[in-house]
Amino acid sequence: KNEFQHILVNRLGNNPLTSPPFEGLGRYGNGLVPALVGSKPKELVEYPRQVTLTETRGGKWGFVDTTGHFVINPKYAEARGFSEGLAAVKLTKGSDWGFINTRGAWVVEPGFRRVGFFEEGLCRVTLGLGYNQYFDKTAYINNRGRVVFIQE
């Protein structure tokens, strides 16, 4: 048994789910939760009477529904929770972030070094290499990936 696994519970703290434990869970949004499987502990820190996992390595992120079943198969190196119908994901470590919908289809192709969550139709991002002279600038994009404002 791995003591660093996570399970989904309902509001009462019960675990009525039949899904396997996950190595990591993200922020719940739009009925889905990012879930990590297949990872290994990278570093363990021991405190008196407590061992804490500080990082994981390997594994893939997918998205599970409230029953704990994968709706979007685990294939992402990193994943953030859904907000306003979109979730930020990376295909590989070190690659740029893009956004998928709740069916796992790309809505905004990867091209962002850092990303936030969508709020009122906008998301704060740091632009990637594809933005040439605006590389590494902070900007706001809409839910189609169009840059609507670049901070100077």
Side-chain angles (χ1 to χ4, degrees):
K1 175 179 160 107
N2 183 343
E3 62 187 278
F4 302 106
Q5 293 177 332
H6 302 268
I7 57 171
L8 294 172
V9 296
N10 64 18
R11 291 180 188 180
L12 300 175
N14 300 323
N15 178 22
L17 309 174
T18 58
S19 63
F22 305 104
E23 286 90 37
L25 292 171
R27 173 184 168 192
Y28 174 83
N30 293 107
L32 299 175
V33 178
L36 177 66
V37 293
S39 70
K40 303 219 182 310
K42 183 173 182 180
E43 183 180 350
L44 299 177
V45 177
E46 293 190 38
Y47 298 104
R49 292 181 281 171
Q50 180 181 354
V51 178
T52 302
L53 171 66
T54 60
E55 253 186 87
T56 60
R57 62 182 157 86
K60 293 291 181 182
W61 288 89
F63 293 84
V64 296
D65 61 17
T66 55
T67 67
H69 295 96
F70 278 101
V71 174
I72 300 171
N73 288 327
K75 59 183 171 185
Y76 304 104
E78 295 185 51
R80 300 254 172 98
F82 279 91
S83 62
E84 298 188 13
L86 298 175
V89 294
K90 281 185 174 187
L91 287 173
T92 60
K93 291 280 187 195
S95 67
D96 283 344
W97 292 92
F99 292 87
I100 59 170
N101 63 21
T102 56
R103 294 181 310 281
W106 288 105
V107 174
V108 179
E109 293 292 325
F112 309 103
R113 298 187 64 219
R114 286 184 285 287
V115 295
F117 292 94
F118 276 91
E119 198 172 323
E120 296 183 24
L122 297 176
C123 180
R124 184 176 182 198
V125 299
T126 301
L127 300 173
L129 286 173
Y131 289 89
N132 300 320
Q133 75 267 26
Y134 298 112
F135 170 72
D136 214 24
K137 296 270 187 191
T138 299
Y140 289 85
I141 60 169
N142 65 17
N143 60 6
R144 292 190 180 105
R146 174 174 239 142
V147 175
V148 295
F149 178 77
I150 297 175
Q151 285 183 323
E152 292 295 327

